[in-house]
Amino acid sequence: MDTSENSSEDEYIEDSAKKNISNRIKPDISSAKPRPTVRDTNSESKSAQSTDLQPLFLGEDTFSEASVKEWQTPRIKAWESRRSTPETFYFRFVAPGEGQSNGKWSKEEHKCFMDRYEEWIASGRKMGHSWGLFSIKIPHRVGYQCMNYYRRLVRRGEIKDNAYDTTNGVLKHVGRERASVTISSTELGPEWETEHVKNIEKNVNNWIKEFHNSTGR
């Protein structure tokens, strides 16, 4: 998925962001959304204990009643497909109760992104495929934000990607390689089993029915 979203605010806070990433440890890739209480992207536990953690809320609450009332069709469809296609869900949403960050990316977020980038490439996956699943290890950021941030890094020359070409300062997508690894996931993550998130899910389903004449399921 390489769909455009308006995200001019999702920019790295510093322009001189080139990093030496050759010696970083590559964590195992998992389909579980990370607990926002833990910033370590090198591990993701699906243990029973992780379901008891209270999420750290940060940023915009995209699952509030006021927000759900304003949802457009793409978000409604992403919510409805959350259990069948987590990729679609995480392209537009963070996990309920987590909160979505907007604006410039911090140094910590940049490092998290580059760790995920290196991990993704090392696993034989191609950038531009499955941005929703790519974003699962970057707390408070959704797939389309990661997509647009990646394009900025490519445009600045901080990441080399032959699928893009810059002409007169304009980045253009000129080709796409087929991913060498098939990505398959039907898991949303352990936080969805907590009472906190279950209550949010129930409320969102009710509001979608009320405001958009949809079951949310």
Side-chain angles (χ1 to χ4, degrees):
M1 181 180 296
D2 209 41
T3 309
S4 296
E5 287 277 348
N6 293 328
S7 62
S8 58
E9 75 279 6
D10 301 321
E11 189 173 1
Y12 181 34
I13 199 167
E14 291 184 358
D15 289 335
S16 58
K18 294 182 179 179
K19 304 288 184 180
N20 180 0
I21 62 175
S22 60
N23 295 322
R24 291 181 181 160
I25 298 175
K26 300 177 179 59
D28 293 332
I29 291 178
S30 169
S31 61
K33 190 75 174 176
R35 297 301 301 176
T37 50
V38 181
R39 287 290 184 163
D40 181 8
T41 61
N42 289 335
S43 64
E44 290 180 357
S45 174
K46 291 186 179 181
S47 65
Q49 290 86 347
S50 67
T51 64
D52 297 328
L53 295 177
Q54 181 67 26
L56 170 66
F57 190 87
L58 177 68
E60 179 187 2
D61 183 1
T62 57
F63 301 103
S64 67
E65 181 177 2
S67 179
V68 173
K69 187 175 182 179
E70 300 300 321
W71 280 5
Q72 300 299 311
T73 300
R75 272 191 164 177
I76 295 172
K77 289 184 176 180
W79 173 262
E80 291 175 335
S81 66
R82 63 194 181 281
R83 296 194 177 276
S84 60
T85 317
E87 157 61 26
T88 300
F89 175 81
Y90 285 123
F91 184 75
R92 298 185 183 277
F93 290 113
V94 295
E98 180 177 327
Q100 179 179 334
S101 294
N102 297 303
K104 294 181 179 180
W105 288 56
S106 66
K107 291 180 179 179
E108 182 184 24
E109 287 181 308
H110 176 75
K111 181 183 184 302
C112 188
F113 182 94
M114 295 306 295
D115 286 343
R116 182 59 163 164
Y117 164 75
E118 185 178 344
E119 172 189 44
W120 196 263
I121 296 299
S123 297
R125 302 178 179 186
K126 302 297 181 182
M127 299 302 295
H129 296 266
S130 302
W131 284 112
L133 295 182
F134 179 91
S135 73
I136 65 175
K137 288 190 178 179
I138 305 179
H140 310 293
R141 296 288 183 174
V142 302
Y144 73 76
Q145 290 177 308
C146 292
M147 176 186 71
N148 287 320
Y149 186 61
Y150 178 76
R151 289 173 174 175
R152 284 182 173 82
L153 296 178
V154 172
R155 186 174 64 245
R156 292 170 179 167
E158 297 174 34
I159 290 179
K160 178 65 175 177
D161 189 334
N162 293 329
Y164 291 90
D165 181 54
T166 303
T167 304
N168 297 326
V170 178
L171 186 69
K172 295 183 178 181
H173 193 248
V174 295
R176 181 185 302 227
E177 296 181 46
R178 183 179 297 275
S180 58
V181 174
T182 300
I183 300 174
S184 176
S185 174
T186 57
E187 298 181 29
L188 282 170
E191 64 271 25
W192 286 82
E193 300 306 316
T194 65
E195 290 302 315
H196 178 69
V197 172
K198 286 180 179 179
N199 287 333
I200 294 175
E201 188 175 19
K202 180 180 178 180
N203 288 334
V204 170
N205 285 337
N206 289 336
W207 293 329
I208 284 182
K209 182 178 182 180
E210 177 182 356
F211 300 130
H212 304 288
N213 193 31
S214 173
T215 64
R217 304 182 186 280

